């Protein structure tokens, strides 16, 4: 295995991990350890080039710094990627990668991301202790989706309070895009709170099942971004809020679980200009990383820790919306500024 340290002005440490004998090329990017060891998942997918894989690792690890800091976690931001088709990954690739993680001596903790399963995390754990998302063990944190959905549900209430003057969701219409792990749990919370649901997924069978379960209306994947509703909850894919889609939105607010909902950094301002209140995704969807953090930090009173951190997320979102109103600017920009201040305070 060859490990090459790459110099980048933006990140603390970036490693290129390569072993031609087993077809392994990947990157580990540690964006920041100012608040604690960097934590963020390991992703495996086919990339067009090494440049594309490196760019993804750099971008995602920076995103983790913001997400972890906004959630008030004593964790920095990191991410790792392996180039290749996840269905063809080998044990030797994972074990070699685990040894590369060990060279960072705990400055980077990995977990599941796209292309990885709890079983893969167990295999990594035979070679490195710097891994979370394990299916079992003393601190195993299990499926993060219910906690992620709970955090989004509470964030939707904060968003409704600021945009509509009441956090009560009884009778409010919420359009949910994506009925996977997070979307389904979110629908349960919303339905229980008396919200009316409009559901969409590319899986029509799933849409029909949940429409019956939650007495909901349905929309096609194309329609869901234009339906009339109080709140849009994106819980599928990233970059769905762009110049074109924002112009067609028919909602008062957006708050959901998908990562990287804004296609570009200008899209926060576009939503703001249209009077649509946007809950920054890396704040609202932090439940998942809070759950993983209990494992990384070996927290004993797990449920209490999760409750406290989720309620801190509500307070942070409340503060972001208030400051955005005072400054007359987009909550997305305020969220980034708040984390930048936290990191600067830490450095001082
Ligand atoms: P998932 O794969 O279980 O569900 C995604 C769902 O979206 C699937 O049902 C899929 O069919 C649907 N979908 C895909 N493209 C679509 C489209 N164009 N229109 C409508 N539906 C579409 O994933 P998940 O774990 O529920 O995560 C959802 C989002 O939340 C992702 O962006 C993920 O990165 C983010 N997220 C998840 C967690 C977590 O705890 N699982 C934590 C933080 C962020």
């Amino acid at each position: 295995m060859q490990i090459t340290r790459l110099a980048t002005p933006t990140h603390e440490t970036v490693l290129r991990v390569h072993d031609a004998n087993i077809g392994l090329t990947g990157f580990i990017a540690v964006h920041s350890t100012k608040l604690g060891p960097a934590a963020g998942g390991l992703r495996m997918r086919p990339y067009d080039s090494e440049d594309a894989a490196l760019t993804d690792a750099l971008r995602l690890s920076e995103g983790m710094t913001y997400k972890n800091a906004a959630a008030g976690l004593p964790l920095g931001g990191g991410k790792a990627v392996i180039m290749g088709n996840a269905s063809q990954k080998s044990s030797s690739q994972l074990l070699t990668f685990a040894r590369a993680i060990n060279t960072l001596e705990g400055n980077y903790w990995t977990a599941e991301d796209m292309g990885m399963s709890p079983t893969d995390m167990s295999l990594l754990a035979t070679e490195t202790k710097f891994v979370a998302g394990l299916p079992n063990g003393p601190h195993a944190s299990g499926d993060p989706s219910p906690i992620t959905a709970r955090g989004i549900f509470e964030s939707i209430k904060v968003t409704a309070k600021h945009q509509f003057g009441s956090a009560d969701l009884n009778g409010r219409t919420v359009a949910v895009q994506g009925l996977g792990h997070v979307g389904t749990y979110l629908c349960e919370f919303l339905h229980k709170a008396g919200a009316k649901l409009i559901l969409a997924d590319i899986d029509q069978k799933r849409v029909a099942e949940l429409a019956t379960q939650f007495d909901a209306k349905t929309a096609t994947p194309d329609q869901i971004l234009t339906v009339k509703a109080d709140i849009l909850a994106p819980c599928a894919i990233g970059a769905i809020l762009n110049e074109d889609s924002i112009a067609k939105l028919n909602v008062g607010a957006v708050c959901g679980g998908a990562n990287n909902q804004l296609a570009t950094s200008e899209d926060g301002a576009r939503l703001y200009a249209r009077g649509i209140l946007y809950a920054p995704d890396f704040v609202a969807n932090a439940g998942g990383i809070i759950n993983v953090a209990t494992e990384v930090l070996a927290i004993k009173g797990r449920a209490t820790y999760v409750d406290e951190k989720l309620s801190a997320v509500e307070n942070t979102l409340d503060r972001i919306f208030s400051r955005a109103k005072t400054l007359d600017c987009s909550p997305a920009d305020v969220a980034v500024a708040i984390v930048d201040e936290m990191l600067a305070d830490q450095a001082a």
Side-chain angles (χ1 to χ4, degrees):
M1 169 181 51
Q2 287 172 304
I3 299 183
T4 317
R5 203 169 268 261
L6 308 178
T8 59
T10 48
H11 287 59
E12 285 180 17
T13 312
V14 181
L15 302 183
R16 176 181 182 269
V17 182
H18 182 66
D19 189 334
N21 294 326
I22 54 170
L24 171 70
T25 303
F27 296 92
I28 305 174
V30 173
H31 176 254
S32 169
T33 56
K34 275 187 189 147
L35 299 178
L42 167 60
R43 173 172 290 196
M44 182 165 183
R45 54 169 285 237
Y47 288 97
D48 289 342
S49 64
E50 278 201 35
D51 263 1
L54 174 59
T55 303
D56 210 26
L58 295 177
R59 186 180 64 87
L60 292 166
S61 57
E62 183 175 2
M64 288 311 299
T65 296
Y66 283 83
K67 188 187 286 210
N68 292 339
L73 296 170
L75 296 174
K79 202 90 183 183
V81 303
I82 295 179
M83 298 178 70
N85 190 332
S87 64
Q88 289 159 15
K89 63 170 129 24
S90 67
S91 315
S92 51
Q93 286 176 326
L94 290 181
L95 293 172
T96 302
F97 206 77
R99 287 193 280 280
I101 291 171
N102 280 339
T103 66
L104 291 167
E105 298 175 331
N107 275 323
Y108 168 66
W109 277 74
T110 201
E112 268 173 271
D113 195 81
M114 205 183 279
M116 290 291 148
S117 68
T119 313
D120 294 326
M121 294 303 109
S122 292
L123 183 62
L124 288 173
T126 61
E127 199 64 54
T128 180
K129 61 180 179 180
F130 306 116
V131 55
L134 297 171
N136 42 50
H139 297 288
S141 56
D143 178 10
S145 314
I147 313 268
T148 304
R150 208 173 111 201
I152 297 160
F153 173 66
E154 296 302 333
S155 297
I156 288 178
K157 291 202 281 185
V158 176
T159 308
K161 183 183 86 178
H162 279 265
Q163 185 70 332
F164 308 120
S166 166
D168 187 357
L169 298 180
N170 192 16
R172 290 254 167 247
T173 304
V174 184
V176 182
Q177 180 194 42
L179 306 172
H181 291 91
V182 174
T184 301
Y185 285 113
L186 179 63
C187 287
E188 277 176 22
F189 283 114
L190 291 168
H191 182 66
K192 220 178 261 174
K196 296 183 212 153
L197 301 177
I198 305 175
L199 307 178
D201 196 292
I202 46 175
D203 178 346
Q204 289 312 312
K205 197 164 154 262
R206 189 82 190 129
V207 175
E209 275 166 16
L210 292 197
T212 306
Q213 185 178 342
F214 299 121
D215 193 19
K217 290 189 177 160
T218 64
T220 65
D222 287 343
Q223 290 165 341
I224 195 72
L225 294 177
T226 56
V227 291
K228 183 167 172 44
D230 294 308
I231 296 154
L232 170 69
C235 297
I237 47 172
I240 49 122
L241 300 171
N242 52 45
E243 190 171 8
D244 183 46
S245 68
I246 289 170
K248 295 178 188 153
L249 288 177
N250 203 356
V251 292
V254 178
C255 179
N259 280 314
N260 302 323
Q261 291 167 32
L262 303 179
T264 68
S265 53
E266 288 84 50
D267 292 313
R270 288 196 175 101
L271 286 161
Y272 185 70
R274 282 215 50 210
I276 297 170
L277 191 62
Y278 169 67
D281 50 21
F282 66 82
V283 180
N285 74 13
I289 190 69
I290 290 171
N291 194 58
V292 167
T294 62
E295 202 171 340
V296 174
L297 304 167
I299 300 291
K300 289 208 179 78
R302 210 174 141 256
T304 310
Y305 187 86
V306 168
D307 287 352
E308 282 170 8
K309 290 295 172 197
L310 284 183
S311 107
V313 165
E314 283 173 56
N315 291 337
T316 302
L317 191 57
D318 199 53
R319 199 153 56 96
I320 288 169
F321 286 147
S322 298
R323 203 198 282 191
K325 192 171 179 189
T326 308
L327 298 177
D328 191 17
C329 71
S330 124
D333 292 340
V334 170
V336 170
I338 283 181
V339 173
D340 284 340
E341 281 164 23
M342 288 165 80
L343 296 173
D345 283 353
Q346 200 66 25

